[in-house]
Amino acid sequence: MTWLALFDLDDTLTDLSGAFSRWTTEFASQHRLPDDAAAWLIAARREGPLDRFFAEVRQKFDLAESADQLWANYRARIPHLVQLYPNVLDDLGSLRAAGWRIGIVTNGMQDNQLAKLQHTGLAEAVDGCCISDAVGLRKPDPRIFRRAAQNCGTTLSPDDWLIGDSPHLDIAGGHSAGIRTVWISHHRTWPQDQQPSHRIATDLRQAVRILLSEEPAPQATVIPPPHPDAGPSRTG
């Protein structure tokens, strides 16, 4: 039986946080912003829509460009700054060599995320991908994980896995889709208000080792009904 591993993209396979830090330095220099601007940008970037973030940036620094233009410029630039975490392609190759199908499921704009996949070589390393902007669904909606499986040429089953760094978007989403989960902790502590992940790994390499060592998900035991000719059962 072929299992499916669905991976988050940003801060799971790619070091988006590092790329964003490099972008803030460039952005502050290009716009001649104050010395503390890069630190403000990093602090202001919270989980949520980027269009809202760039509206805040425009207002904070009184920039002439529209928020939409700032966002478009960011999407064009960030794929060139994003790097894979160490050994990602080798680790994904190990899964494929073991017979796994591999998919990527990510929130984000299609132009931005596709460019990341192309620039990093991930496009050729996976069986399929699903980008929220392309399908009109966002994690943690369980439907996006089912669509991702379809894009990989299969259907989702309880034996499949979701691997990601976000407790809410990835792990809760995997739970809602009925599949097993691995949380990439990056040495963080699991939030107590969230349903726990099935497994926890500090990085992708450890997550792949977990997948390669796992057995199929336990199946419910089905007790067949008694044969019509059988006598009454006895309990003692």
Side-chain angles (χ1 to χ4, degrees):
M1 179 178 178
T2 300
W3 293 352
L4 172 68
L6 294 176
F7 290 88
D8 169 53
L9 178 61
D10 296 325
D11 288 322
T12 295
L13 300 176
T14 65
D15 182 12
L16 180 61
S17 295
F20 185 80
S21 180
R22 290 187 287 275
W23 172 84
T24 62
T25 301
E26 285 189 0
F27 183 82
S29 176
Q30 291 168 358
H31 290 82
R32 300 181 179 179
L33 301 182
D35 292 343
D36 62 350
W40 183 90
L41 290 164
I42 291 173
R45 176 66 188 114
R46 298 175 294 275
E47 188 175 272
L50 275 169
D51 55 348
R52 186 184 307 163
F53 167 73
F54 280 106
E56 294 177 8
V57 171
R58 182 176 186 267
Q59 182 178 24
K60 167 72 175 178
F61 298 109
D62 194 24
L63 301 177
E65 295 169 286
S66 69
D68 286 345
Q69 186 59 56
L70 293 171
W71 185 21
N73 292 345
Y74 169 86
R75 297 199 309 270
R77 179 57 180 154
I78 202 70
H80 299 274
L81 299 175
V82 163
Q83 299 174 0
L84 294 175
Y85 285 114
N87 306 306
V88 164
L89 295 180
D90 289 342
D91 291 336
L92 296 183
S94 296
L95 278 178
R96 296 190 87 176
W100 287 68
R101 290 183 191 235
I102 301 173
I104 292 174
V105 55
T106 176
N107 289 348
M109 299 295 288
Q110 188 171 13
D111 57 351
N112 185 26
Q113 303 302 69
L114 281 177
K116 291 176 189 175
L117 297 178
Q118 294 294 336
H119 282 291
T120 59
L122 284 170
E124 291 76 36
V126 299
D127 296 290
C129 67
C130 189
I131 301 171
S132 65
D133 178 52
V135 298
L137 299 166
R138 287 180 60 84
K139 296 183 292 184
D141 190 323
R143 293 175 295 174
I144 195 171
F145 303 105
R146 293 194 284 268
R147 182 71 67 86
Q150 292 173 7
N151 291 352
C152 294
T154 187
T155 56
L156 216 54
S157 84
D159 286 325
D160 298 330
W161 290 83
L162 186 285
I163 304 93
D165 72 297
S166 171
H168 172 60
L169 300 177
D170 298 318
I171 305 309
H175 285 313
S176 67
I179 58 177
R180 297 182 284 180
T181 57
V182 181
W183 181 49
I184 304 294
S185 71
H186 298 303
H187 301 283
R188 295 170 294 164
T189 301
W190 179 260
Q192 295 302 311
D193 60 340
Q194 294 282 340
Q195 181 181 354
S197 179
H198 294 86
R199 300 287 185 272
I200 295 177
T202 57
D203 55 26
L204 183 76
R205 170 145 289 189
Q206 187 179 16
V208 168
R209 288 173 179 164
I210 288 171
L211 298 188
L212 291 173
S213 68
E214 285 293 328
E215 299 294 330
Q219 302 297 314
T221 300
V222 177
I223 301 176
H227 191 276
D229 294 332
S233 60
R234 296 181 180 181
T235 60

PDB file of all heavy atoms in Angstrom, residues 22 51 92 108-109 120 161 199 205:
ATOM      1  N   ARG A  22      15.795  38.584   5.694  1.00  0.00           N
ATOM      2  CA  ARG A  22      16.638  39.180   4.660  1.00  0.00           C
ATOM      3  C   ARG A  22      15.854  40.217   3.848  1.00  0.00           C
ATOM      4  O   ARG A  22      16.391  41.262   3.480  1.00  0.00           O
ATOM      5  CB  ARG A  22      17.190  38.075   3.749  1.00  0.00           C
ATOM      6  CG  ARG A  22      18.215  37.190   4.425  1.00  0.00           C
ATOM      7  CD  ARG A  22      18.866  36.222   3.451  1.00  0.00           C
ATOM      8  NE  ARG A  22      17.963  35.150   3.055  1.00  0.00           N
ATOM      9  CZ  ARG A  22      17.781  34.028   3.741  1.00  0.00           C
ATOM     10  NH1 ARG A  22      18.406  33.853   4.893  1.00  0.00           N
ATOM     11  NH2 ARG A  22      16.978  33.085   3.311  1.00  0.00           N
ATOM     12  N   ASP A  51      -1.957  41.036   2.858  1.00  0.00           N
ATOM     13  CA  ASP A  51      -2.460  42.327   2.382  1.00  0.00           C
ATOM     14  C   ASP A  51      -2.689  43.269   3.564  1.00  0.00           C
ATOM     15  O   ASP A  51      -2.424  44.472   3.489  1.00  0.00           O
ATOM     16  CB  ASP A  51      -3.725  42.155   1.542  1.00  0.00           C
ATOM     17  CG  ASP A  51      -4.831  41.392   2.268  1.00  0.00           C
ATOM     18  OD1 ASP A  51      -4.571  40.795   3.330  1.00  0.00           O
ATOM     19  OD2 ASP A  51      -5.964  41.384   1.741  1.00  0.00           O
ATOM     20  N   LEU A  92      13.213  14.031   1.231  1.00  0.00           N
ATOM     21  CA  LEU A  92      12.030  13.713   0.431  1.00  0.00           C
ATOM     22  C   LEU A  92      12.332  12.564  -0.529  1.00  0.00           C
ATOM     23  O   LEU A  92      11.478  11.704  -0.776  1.00  0.00           O
ATOM     24  CB  LEU A  92      11.563  14.938  -0.344  1.00  0.00           C
ATOM     25  CG  LEU A  92      11.070  16.129   0.496  1.00  0.00           C
ATOM     26  CD1 LEU A  92      10.569  17.240  -0.426  1.00  0.00           C
ATOM     27  CD2 LEU A  92       9.977  15.715   1.479  1.00  0.00           C
ATOM     28  N   GLY A 108      -1.495  30.643   0.604  1.00  0.00           N
ATOM     29  CA  GLY A 108      -0.706  31.682  -0.054  1.00  0.00           C
ATOM     30  C   GLY A 108      -1.189  31.955  -1.457  1.00  0.00           C
ATOM     31  O   GLY A 108      -2.077  31.283  -1.985  1.00  0.00           O
ATOM     32  N   MET A 109      -0.576  32.970  -2.066  1.00  0.00           N
ATOM     33  CA  MET A 109      -0.905  33.356  -3.433  1.00  0.00           C
ATOM     34  C   MET A 109      -0.197  32.432  -4.421  1.00  0.00           C
ATOM     35  O   MET A 109       0.951  32.016  -4.198  1.00  0.00           O
ATOM     36  CB  MET A 109      -0.507  34.808  -3.683  1.00  0.00           C
ATOM     37  CG  MET A 109      -1.228  35.805  -2.782  1.00  0.00           C
ATOM     38  SD  MET A 109      -3.012  35.842  -3.086  1.00  0.00           S
ATOM     39  CE  MET A 109      -3.044  36.660  -4.683  1.00  0.00           C
ATOM     40  N   THR A 120      13.381  26.494  -5.660  1.00  0.00           N
ATOM     41  CA  THR A 120      14.023  25.587  -4.703  1.00  0.00           C
ATOM     42  C   THR A 120      14.196  24.170  -5.222  1.00  0.00           C
ATOM     43  O   THR A 120      14.873  23.363  -4.595  1.00  0.00           O
ATOM     44  CB  THR A 120      13.191  25.516  -3.402  1.00  0.00           C
ATOM     45  OG1 THR A 120      11.874  25.053  -3.720  1.00  0.00           O
ATOM     46  CG2 THR A 120      13.116  26.880  -2.722  1.00  0.00           C
ATOM     47  N   TRP A 161      -0.340  11.156   6.210  1.00  0.00           N
ATOM     48  CA  TRP A 161       0.250  12.062   7.197  1.00  0.00           C
ATOM     49  C   TRP A 161       0.249  13.496   6.689  1.00  0.00           C
ATOM     50  O   TRP A 161       0.410  13.748   5.484  1.00  0.00           O
ATOM     51  CB  TRP A 161       1.689  11.661   7.494  1.00  0.00           C
ATOM     52  CG  TRP A 161       1.840  10.382   8.255  1.00  0.00           C
ATOM     53  CD1 TRP A 161       1.831   9.113   7.747  1.00  0.00           C
ATOM     54  CD2 TRP A 161       2.018  10.240   9.667  1.00  0.00           C
ATOM     55  NE1 TRP A 161       2.000   8.188   8.750  1.00  0.00           N
ATOM     56  CE2 TRP A 161       2.122   8.856   9.949  1.00  0.00           C
ATOM     57  CE3 TRP A 161       2.123  11.144  10.727  1.00  0.00           C
ATOM     58  CZ2 TRP A 161       2.324   8.355  11.235  1.00  0.00           C
ATOM     59  CZ3 TRP A 161       2.318  10.658  12.009  1.00  0.00           C
ATOM     60  CH2 TRP A 161       2.415   9.272  12.252  1.00  0.00           C
ATOM     61  N   ARG A 199       2.673  12.996  16.437  1.00  0.00           N
ATOM     62  CA  ARG A 199       4.115  12.922  16.661  1.00  0.00           C
ATOM     63  C   ARG A 199       4.678  14.347  16.630  1.00  0.00           C
ATOM     64  O   ARG A 199       4.091  15.247  16.036  1.00  0.00           O
ATOM     65  CB  ARG A 199       4.816  12.079  15.580  1.00  0.00           C
ATOM     66  CG  ARG A 199       4.345  10.640  15.494  1.00  0.00           C
ATOM     67  CD  ARG A 199       4.851   9.819  16.669  1.00  0.00           C
ATOM     68  NE  ARG A 199       4.494   8.415  16.524  1.00  0.00           N
ATOM     69  CZ  ARG A 199       3.361   7.874  16.945  1.00  0.00           C
ATOM     70  NH1 ARG A 199       2.457   8.642  17.555  1.00  0.00           N
ATOM     71  NH2 ARG A 199       3.111   6.586  16.775  1.00  0.00           N
ATOM     72  N   ARG A 205      14.148  16.429   8.976  1.00  0.00           N
ATOM     73  CA  ARG A 205      14.857  15.144   8.942  1.00  0.00           C
ATOM     74  C   ARG A 205      14.296  14.178   9.977  1.00  0.00           C
ATOM     75  O   ARG A 205      14.071  13.005   9.686  1.00  0.00           O
ATOM     76  CB  ARG A 205      16.361  15.366   9.151  1.00  0.00           C
ATOM     77  CG  ARG A 205      17.138  14.080   9.359  1.00  0.00           C
ATOM     78  CD  ARG A 205      18.503  14.139   8.756  1.00  0.00           C
ATOM     79  NE  ARG A 205      18.459  14.115   7.300  1.00  0.00           N
ATOM     80  CZ  ARG A 205      19.542  13.975   6.518  1.00  0.00           C
ATOM     81  NH1 ARG A 205      20.730  13.867   7.062  1.00  0.00           N
ATOM     82  NH2 ARG A 205      19.424  13.953   5.209  1.00  0.00           N
TER      83      ARG A 205
END
